[in-house]
Structures are given as structure tokens and as C-alpha cells.
Amino acid sequence: MHEYSLAHALLEGLTEHLGQHPVHGRVRAVHVRKGELLILSEEALGEAWRILAEGTEVAGSELRVEKVPVKVRCPSCGYEGPVKYVSEEGWHFAVPLLACPQCQARAEVIEGRDLAIVGLSVDDAPLDHQAA
Ligand SMILES: [Zn+2]
């Protein structure tokens, strides 16, 4: 399962990061950016995360996914930025055109393919704190 291996990779990266930069408190949410070109089910990813995080220091945390639009760099004219989208009548979505919007040359994708952790929401309350 695609989402399962992606969640696994995210968790491994996060565990390594937390090993070097420990947080004080419980991790409530893990914020990730998902490139527009990366096709996945957010629901399946969240589910995989819940299962894999079980028993780790981020158990019970929630994955919050933010979508990142495609960005390209053009080797011909040096353009760098967003692309144009095509949408035909009857389509329910727009498809990014991976060509330079200025000169139509084939452009290189610099953003929009990855899944990356961008931040954590940490509960500052001590772990052993109980409401009086
Ligand atoms: Zn160009």
C-alpha cells in the first residue's frame, strides 16, 4: 500500500528528528505538505499514520495535510514559478501543464512531488499533569 509506505517514511524521519530535537509535551498534530502531483488518499494516509504511530512517542497524533501547488523551473528562459492548468468541459479537476508558461519549453518540476513534514503542534502541558 502506497500510503502505508509514505506514512512509514514520514514517521521514520520524524522519529529521527525528535531524537535530535526532543519536544517537551505531547505531539498533537504533525503538519505535512503534499505536492499536487503526488497522488494519494489522505484518508488512507491518516489511517496508516494512526496505526504506525501506535506505541511511538507520537502516538495519538493527527496528520494534517496541506496541499502544495506545482512549481517549475524553465531551462530555456529561466522562468520559475507556478504553471498553467488545463481543464476541459466536463472535467471536475484541472491538470497542471508541466511546460513553461512563458516559452512552452519542457520545464523541470521543483515543487509538487513530495511529501514533507513542515511542523508539529505540541501540547505544552507536562505529560504527568492531571487536572485537579
Ligand atoms: Zn521558458
Side-chain angles (χ1 to χ4, degrees):
M1 188 170 122
H2 182 51
E3 285 82 2
Y4 202 84
S5 55
L6 284 170
H8 189 257
L10 282 178
L11 189 63
E12 276 201 328
L14 181 60
T15 307
E16 200 182 309
H17 174 83
L18 289 176
Q20 289 157 7
H21 311 91
V23 291
H24 304 285
R26 196 168 84 81
V27 176
R28 285 211 176 276
V30 178
H31 301 267
V32 298
R33 283 159 63 102
K34 182 192 85 68
E36 193 178 22
L37 295 175
L38 182 68
I39 307 299
L40 60 79
S41 153
E42 282 183 32
E43 209 184 323
L45 185 69
E47 187 58 33
W49 180 263
R50 270 189 291 280
I51 296 166
L52 290 167
E54 200 69 42
T56 72
E57 57 191 314
V58 294
S61 65
E62 188 195 330
L63 213 54
R64 301 243 174 95
V65 181
E66 177 202 344
K67 292 193 183 90
V68 182
V70 173
K71 241 185 178 178
V72 295
R73 183 187 292 137
C74 176
S76 305
C77 72
Y79 170 87
E80 202 174 300
V83 293
K84 281 188 180 156
Y85 288 77
V86 277
S87 184
E88 299 286 332
E89 207 182 325
W91 289 9
H92 298 288
F93 54 93
V95 178
L97 270 181
L98 301 183
C100 173
Q102 282 183 2
C103 72
Q104 317 311 320
R106 193 189 158 86
E108 180 194 335
V109 175
I110 53 173
E111 219 175 277
R113 277 198 172 132
D114 308 321
L115 190 64
I117 293 175
V118 290
L120 300 173
S121 293
V122 180
D123 194 345
D124 288 332
L127 291 174
D128 55 355
H129 176 79
Q130 296 292 323

